[in-house]
Amino acid sequence: MLRQLLHEDVENGAYPSTSADAYMRLAIYDLIGALFAPSEGEDVLRHTDKLFTRICAIVRGGFADPAFGPGDVADQAGISLRYLQKLFTQRNSTCTQFINAVRLDHALALLKRRSALRTSQSISDIAYASGYSDYTNFHRRFRCRFGQTPGSIGGEEGRTGSDGMELAAR
């Protein structure tokens, strides 16, 4: 574009003055600098990715508290609740969905551990340790997410012990 402007001036007989020449040189340097300078968007993305990673760590550190929610996450991260929502919306999720996913993943790990070690930890204890204060809510969310009930992990439902008693009743 600058070349075209210069070319038109020369064709019309209007040679650029020395001050115009200096100006054009500076304009070209600015354009070249802009082409090779890192974009501000990359810095912003790096910052928001670091912040989002920190937010995920905050959730993983506080999910076991049944009262823990997005407001607590925003407070601990030092950001507004609206900005927290925006960060999750950009990732096609919500903070509440992420908290529930972390809780359910933790519950699944505890249920698998209970099954592998054959411990007598109750499912309601596992639900509470995973941040749920309501067993029915936990059961419904677990079945919706994993397609099976919490008791079916490790084959507890319908399995009997050596004495013939239902394990679920123990």
Side-chain angles (χ1 to χ4, degrees):
M1 187 171 171
L2 290 173
R3 183 176 176 270
Q4 184 180 0
L5 286 172
L6 281 173
H7 187 59
E8 288 173 2
D9 282 345
V10 170
E11 283 181 354
N12 294 334
Y15 294 99
S17 66
T18 48
S19 64
D21 190 36
Y23 174 76
M24 293 301 274
R25 198 175 307 122
L26 288 174
I28 290 171
Y29 290 152
D30 286 345
L31 287 173
I32 290 171
L35 286 173
F36 293 105
S39 77
E40 292 178 17
E42 291 173 9
D43 290 339
V44 170
L45 286 176
R46 250 183 259 127
H47 172 72
T48 57
D49 285 346
K50 283 182 181 179
L51 178 60
F52 191 76
T53 300
R54 198 169 116 237
I55 287 168
C56 292
I58 290 169
V59 170
R60 288 186 182 99
F63 73 91
D65 177 6
F68 185 76
D72 300 309
V73 176
D75 286 345
Q76 289 182 32
I79 60 174
S80 70
L81 184 57
R82 176 66 193 114
Y83 187 56
L84 178 73
Q85 292 168 342
K86 180 180 175 183
L87 289 172
F88 276 95
T89 301
Q90 290 172 342
R91 290 159 176 84
N92 298 320
S93 186
T94 67
C95 187
T96 302
Q97 288 171 340
F98 183 69
I99 292 169
N100 282 322
V102 170
R103 286 176 173 163
L104 291 172
D105 289 343
H106 182 72
L108 179 64
L110 290 178
L111 288 166
K112 286 181 177 179
R113 180 177 161 262
R114 177 185 84 143
S115 175
L117 299 176
R118 299 189 184 275
T119 64
S120 61
Q121 185 179 21
S122 71
I123 296 174
S124 59
D125 286 345
I126 289 173
Y128 185 73
S130 300
Y132 289 95
S133 58
D134 178 20
Y135 177 79
T136 305
N137 182 35
F138 164 71
H139 190 273
R140 181 176 35 83
R141 288 182 185 271
F142 190 93
R143 191 179 69 221
C144 182
R145 167 104 184 268
F146 297 113
Q148 55 188 339
T149 63
S152 68
I153 303 299
E156 180 180 294
E157 287 183 352
R159 192 175 77 188
T160 57
S162 60
D163 60 357
M165 292 180 55
E166 268 309 296
L167 287 179
R170 288 185 181 176

